[in-house]
Amino acid sequence: TSETGYENPEIKDIPNDNEDIELGYSFTNTGEINVPPLLIDQILGQEQAVEIVKKAARQRRHVMMIGTPGTGKSLLAKAMAELLPKEELEDIMVYPNAEDSNNPRIRRVPAGKGREIVAAHRAEAQKKAQSKTMILMFLIVGVVIYTILTGQSILIAIFVCLLLLTFGRQFIGRDEALIPKLLVSNYNKQQAPYVDSTAAHAGALLGDVRHDPFQSGGLETPAHDRVEAGDIHKSHKGVLFMDEINILSIESQQSLLTALQEKEYAITGQSERSSGALVKTEPVPCDFIMVAAGNIDALEKMHPALRSRIKGYGYEVYMRESMPDTPENRDKFIRFVAQEVMRDGNIPQFDEDAVKEIIREAMRRSGRKGQLTLKLRDLGGLVRVAGDLARADNAPFTTAEHVLRAKKISRSIEQQLADRYLENKTDYESFFKEGGEIGRVNGLAVIGSDSGIVLPILSEVTPSMSGAQGNIIATGQLKTIAREAVKNVSAVIKKVTGKDIEAIDIHIQFVGTYEGVEGDSASISIATAVLSAYEKIPVDQTIAMTGSLSVRGDVLPVGGVTYKIEAAAQAGIKKVIIPKANESDVMIEDSYKDIIEIIPVSNITEVVEYALVDSPKKQEFLKKLETMLKNDKN
Ligand code: ADP
C-alpha cells in the first residue's frame, strides 16, 4: 500500500509512456544543461516581470509584484540585487556620543572599511587597557609591600586592594566602551544585499535598541553598543523584499513609507518599557529598493500612501500562472530541472524521461489544455522529492519512475484528506461500484484545489408533508453556491417531470460530506438522482459524473475535471460523464487512461441516457425528456 494506505492495484502495473512529450533537443541527463550564472536569466515564463526588474534595477525604482505564491517573486527580487552595482556599497557604523550618550552617532564608510576601523579601535583600547592594568598591578603590589614594611593591618590592605580593583576595572573598561560598533557590514560582499523581510516585526524591520539588564554599577553596556540595524538598513543600496505586504501593521507601513521617502531612518528601542526606548540614534541610511509582493487582495489592504509611493516611483507587475505549451517553453523546463538540481546540490541529475515526466506534471497542474504551469515552487518540490528517492536508491540518475513515486508521496494536505475520505468510504461500502440503484448517483467534487473525491448523492421523492406545498430538502452541509445549484436543478426537474412539484417533497442527501460541499459541479448528479427517484429507474453505479446544469437543461463546464476523473478511477469507477466543454481540459495520467472511460455530454438528456440502466421504461422517459426540452427551446 502507498503512504496513504490506499492504492488501486490496477494503477500501479500500467506503465507510463512518454510518447506524446516532445522536446526540442535530446540529452542523457540534466548535468549537460548549462545553467546561466545570473538568476535573472534563470527565470521561466515571467518575461514581462524580468524586463521590468531589469529596468527598475537600472533606474533604482521600486517594484510591486502581484500574483500567486511560488511563481518567482522572491527569485526576481534576488535577481534584482545581483543587477545592482556593488561599487556603491557602504558600511554603517555607530559611535558613542560623548555629549549625549542616548543619541549615538552614525557614520558611513566605504564597504569593508568598517571592520578595519573597529579592529584599530579595539587594538588601541587593548593597548590602553594593558598599560592601565600594569599601573593597577603596581599599585596593588605597592600597597602590599607598604603593608609588610610598615606592619599595617592586613584587613585595611585587603580593603584598599578591593577598592583599587573595583574602580580600576571601570577605568580600564572605559576604553572598551568607546569602540564603535559595525552596524551594517558589506565586507567582501560580491553583490548588493538582498534582505527578505517578509512578516518581520517592527524591531527586525526598522532596527531596535536592546534592553540593558545592568542599568548601572559600571557594568552597563553602552547605548551605542546595544543598537541593532533593521532590515531597512541592512538592505541599504540593495533590495528589500517583502511578501504579503498587507499583513504588515499600519504603523510599520507608515514607518516604511517614511524610510522610503527620507532614505534614512533613526533607530530607537521598539519596546516602550525597555531602557532602549530612551535611546535614539542619528538618522541611519537606508537607501534600498523596495520589492513588495502579495496576492491581489494585498493591494486593497495596503496602506494607500505606501502603495502610491511605490506606484509613483516604480513599477507594478502581475505574475503569470502559466505559459503556452510551445516547444521553446518545454525546453525551458529542461533548464528549470537542471537549475533545481544544482540549487539542491545533493540530488542526482535527471534523465530525459524524468524531465518529460516533470513537464507532463506541469501540463496537468496548469489545469488548461495547451498550457504549462508556472507555479514552480511546488514543481521544484517535486523535483527534490524525486531526487531524494533516487539518492535513497543510490541511482546514478533520477528517472521517470522516481518522479512518479515522488508524485504519490508529495501529496498536498487536501489530497491526503481525499485519500483518507476514500479509505473511510470503502470501509463503509458506501460506494456501489456495480449494478443499478434508484435515486443514487456517484457525484464528483474537488476539495482544496487539487484533489478529487467521489461524493455519493441520494434522492428520495415522497408525498408532500405540508400537503399544499412541495419542498426540496437538502442535507449534508451545503454551502451557498451548492444551494443555488439545488434551486436551479428544481427548475429543470419541474419541466422534465411535467408535473407540478407541489404534491411531492424531494429529498437530496450528500453522503458523508464532513467538509461541506461547494460549487455547482454536482448539479447534473443531483438532477439525475432526483429524476431516477421520481421515475423509479435505477442509475448505473459504475458511472460517476460532474457537470453544472443550466435551467434549460444544458450541461455547463466545471473546474477540476482531471482530478475528479482520477479520483473516480481510484475508487474503481469505470465511466465518467463530464461536460463536453471540459473535454480538452482532461489531462489524466496515462495509468488511468485504460481503466476509465470518459463520456463528454452537452445536455441532461444525454446524461440520463448514459446514466440510467437500460429498460423500456427508460426509453419512454427519454422520449418524454427530449420532447420537453425541445418544446422548451422553441
Ligand atoms: P514567490 O516569491 O512567488 O512565492 P519564489 O520566488 O519564492 O516564489 O519561488 C520559489 C522557488 O520556486 C524559487 O526559488 C525557484 O526555485 C522556483 N521558481 C519559482 N518561480 C520560478 C520561475 N519563474 N523561474 C524559475 N524558477 C522559479
Side-chain angles (χ1 to χ4, degrees), residues 353-598:
D353 282 347
V355 173
K356 286 179 176 174
E357 208 49 61
I358 295 287
I359 295 174
R360 189 191 306 274
E361 189 60 17
M363 293 172 173
R364 281 163 44 83
R365 290 191 183 184
S366 78
R368 273 161 56 208
K369 178 110 186 146
Q371 295 281 318
L372 295 163
T373 187
L374 285 172
K375 294 181 199 162
L376 295 179
R377 177 187 304 162
D378 293 352
L379 212 59
L382 183 65
V383 168
R384 277 182 292 282
V385 175
D388 285 343
L389 289 176
R391 200 160 60 119
D393 282 359
N394 275 328
F397 298 113
T398 309
T399 65
E401 189 260 339
H402 293 123
V403 178
L404 290 173
R405 259 164 59 202
K407 268 181 12 186
K408 288 228 172 86
I409 295 175
S410 60
R411 292 165 75 77
S412 68
I413 297 293
E414 287 88 1
Q415 285 170 321
Q416 293 180 31
L417 181 63
D419 287 339
R420 201 58 31 89
Y421 185 86
L422 199 59
E423 263 172 61
N424 295 342
K425 274 277 133 59
T426 28
D427 285 352
Y428 293 114
E429 302 273 321
S430 61
F431 285 139
F432 297 65
K433 287 170 249 172
E434 46 203 36
E437 195 77 22
I438 288 176
R440 185 189 186 288
V441 169
N442 290 313
L444 292 168
V446 171
I447 56 179
S449 59
D450 56 1
S451 40
I453 49 166
V454 178
L455 182 73
I457 293 167
L458 300 182
S459 176
E460 215 167 298
V461 175
T462 57
S464 174
M465 295 279 280
S466 54
Q469 209 197 337
N471 283 313
I472 292 187
I473 302 146
T475 47
Q477 293 186 37
L478 295 196
K479 292 195 191 161
T480 348
I481 305 176
R483 277 190 183 285
E484 283 298 308
V486 171
K487 265 195 219 149
N488 260 3
V489 168
S490 60
V492 172
I493 294 165
K494 237 189 243 178
K495 269 178 212 154
V496 169
T497 55
K499 279 177 215 158
D500 239 345
I501 59 166
E502 268 183 12
I504 53 169
D505 281 343
I506 296 173
H507 302 259
I508 299 161
Q509 189 197 353
F510 289 75
V511 181
T513 50
Y514 51 79
E515 277 298 288
V517 183
E518 190 53 309
D520 63 348
S521 67
S523 29
I524 65 165
S525 320
I526 298 173
T528 309
V530 173
L531 292 175
S532 155
Y534 187 79
E535 299 285 339
K536 307 250 177 315
I537 307 170
V539 180
D540 182 350
Q541 298 296 310
T542 65
I543 290 185
M545 60 179 77
T546 179
S548 177
L549 194 60
S550 78
V551 279
R552 310 176 53 168
D554 296 320
V555 176
L556 307 176
V558 295
V561 274
T562 300
Y563 301 117
K564 288 172 178 173
I565 296 171
E566 290 182 352
Q570 281 181 19
I573 286 190
K574 297 284 179 285
K575 297 174 196 165
V576 183
I577 294 177
I578 63 163
K580 186 145 188 77
N582 283 126
E583 206 176 354
S584 60
D585 300 329
V586 177
M587 272 166 284
I588 59 172
E589 282 176 36
D590 283 350
S591 51
Y592 295 112
K593 283 188 182 146
D594 297 330
I595 59 172
I596 194 142
E597 185 191 337
I598 297 165

Side-chain angles (χ1 to χ4, degrees), residues 39 42-46 65 67-78 194 196 241 243 293 319-320 335-336 339-340 343 374-381 384:
L39 284 178
Q42 297 183 8
I43 289 156
L44 278 68
Q46 308 289 358
M65 293 176 187
T68 314
T71 48
K73 296 187 287 296
S74 74
L75 191 62
L76 275 160
K78 246 178 257 169
Y194 161 81
D196 184 343
F241 175 71
D243 206 348
M319 302 295 287
R320 304 194 49 174
R335 204 194 66 214
F336 168 72
Q339 280 166 202
E340 294 294 316
R343 217 162 282 166
L374 285 172
K375 294 181 199 162
L376 295 179
R377 177 187 304 162
D378 293 352
L379 212 59
R384 277 182 292 282

Side-chain angles (χ1 to χ4, degrees), residues 266-399:
I267 298 175
T268 185
Q270 296 289 336
S271 152
E272 268 167 41
R273 276 175 307 155
S274 84
S275 55
L278 288 174
V279 178
K280 186 174 182 187
T281 66
E282 290 180 349
V284 184
C286 61
D287 185 10
F288 57 89
I289 293 178
M290 168 102 203
V291 178
N295 52 20
I296 191 80
D297 60 70
L299 286 184
E300 281 164 29
K301 302 205 186 98
M302 204 174 153
H303 192 307
L306 181 58
R307 163 115 195 261
S308 79
R309 179 80 195 177
I310 298 179
K311 202 172 170 181
Y313 291 82
Y315 300 94
E316 293 185 313
V317 241
Y318 196 82
M319 302 295 287
R320 304 194 49 174
E321 277 181 31
S322 64
M323 60 178 175
D325 180 11
T326 62
E328 302 85 66
N329 285 342
R330 282 186 188 180
D331 291 350
K332 289 182 190 159
F333 269 87
I334 307 176
R335 204 194 66 214
F336 168 72
V337 175
Q339 280 166 202
E340 294 294 316
V341 171
M342 191 190 72
R343 217 162 282 166
D344 183 278
N346 277 320
I347 57 179
Q349 298 288 348
F350 279 46
D351 71 13
E352 190 171 319
D353 282 347
V355 173
K356 286 179 176 174
E357 208 49 61
I358 295 287
I359 295 174
R360 189 191 306 274
E361 189 60 17
M363 293 172 173
R364 281 163 44 83
R365 290 191 183 184
S366 78
R368 273 161 56 208
K369 178 110 186 146
Q371 295 281 318
L372 295 163
T373 187
L374 285 172
K375 294 181 199 162
L376 295 179
R377 177 187 304 162
D378 293 352
L379 212 59
L382 183 65
V383 168
R384 277 182 292 282
V385 175
D388 285 343
L389 289 176
R391 200 160 60 119
D393 282 359
N394 275 328
F397 298 113
T398 309
T399 65

Side-chain angles (χ1 to χ4, degrees), residues 148-181:
I148 294 170
L149 290 184
T150 56
Q152 299 278 358
S153 151
I154 299 268
L155 276 179
I156 291 177
I158 292 178
F159 178 72
V160 173
C161 283
L162 279 178
L163 225 63
L164 276 174
L165 273 175
T166 315
F167 286 107
R169 216 166 96 198
Q170 273 192 43
F171 185 58
I172 293 167
R174 195 164 293 161
D175 297 308
E176 190 91 7
L178 291 176
I179 302 176
K181 174 174 171 173

